[in-house]
């Protein structure tokens, strides 16, 4: 019900925008999160945007470089990434959480999509 796209191979310092398309009803009722998992590492929280777009949190590692946004009319959520570094190489996932949850725990999200791979070379 969630499909992330937009990944690819880029150079350090480049920008990339990920998209997440939702086919679930009541998309505008869910907070939407982005997570990532690098090879050999645990999945980590990247960002979350509230159901109405007014509340946003970022992981410290991406703050000031990544921007999350959403378009409820199109059932889409985006992750604009800039200043990419090899440390950002990972599979990126979008996930949906209840409107009361703005946290970073993957298990608290109800719906998950297939990820999209971002590879950043130096």
């Amino acid at each position: 019900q969630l499909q992330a796209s937009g990944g690819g191979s880029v150079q350090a310092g480049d920008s990339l925008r990920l998209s997440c398309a939702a086919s679930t009803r009541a998309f505008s009722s869910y907070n939407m999160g982005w997570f990532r998992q690098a090879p050999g590492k645990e999945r980590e929280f990247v960002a979350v945007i509230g159901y109405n777009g007014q509340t946003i949190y970022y992981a410290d590692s991406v703050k000031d470089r990544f921007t999350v946004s959403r378009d409820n009319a199109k059932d889409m959520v985006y992750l604009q990434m800039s200043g990419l570094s090899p440390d950002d190489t990972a599979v990126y996932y979008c996930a949906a959480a209840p409107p009361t949850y703005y946290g970073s725990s993957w298990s608290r999200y109800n719906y998950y999509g297939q990820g999209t791979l971002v590879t950043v070379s130096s």
Side-chain angles (χ1 to χ4, degrees):
Q1 294 179 320
L2 298 174
Q3 180 64 56
S5 62
S9 296
V10 297
Q11 298 288 319
D14 284 352
S15 298
L16 201 61
R17 189 177 85 153
L18 305 183
S19 299
C20 175
S23 58
T24 182
R25 288 191 170 211
F27 168 80
S28 61
S29 298
Y30 292 96
N31 295 346
M32 295 299 298
W34 284 97
F35 291 78
R36 67 185 181 184
Q37 187 166 20
K41 295 186 177 181
E42 293 186 355
R43 186 182 296 112
E44 66 172 348
F45 169 79
V46 174
V48 61
I49 183 168
Y51 61 94
N52 60 6
Q54 294 187 351
T55 301
I56 294 174
Y57 296 107
Y58 295 99
D60 287 343
S61 59
V62 306
K63 199 176 296 184
D64 299 327
R65 298 189 301 121
F66 290 11
T67 301
V68 62
S69 61
R70 66 189 296 162
D71 186 341
N72 285 346
K74 297 181 179 179
D75 291 349
M76 296 289 295
V77 63
Y78 307 98
L79 186 68
Q80 178 68 47
M81 307 183 294
S82 62
L84 286 164
S85 76
D87 289 341
D88 296 315
T89 294
V91 177
Y92 284 73
Y93 301 88
C94 56
T100 54
Y101 187 71
Y102 292 89
S104 60
S105 176
W106 175 260
S107 64
R108 297 288 299 274
Y109 286 71
N110 302 112
Y111 301 101
Y112 315 96
Q114 291 188 342
T116 185
L117 177 62
V118 174
T119 303
V120 185
S121 55
S122 57

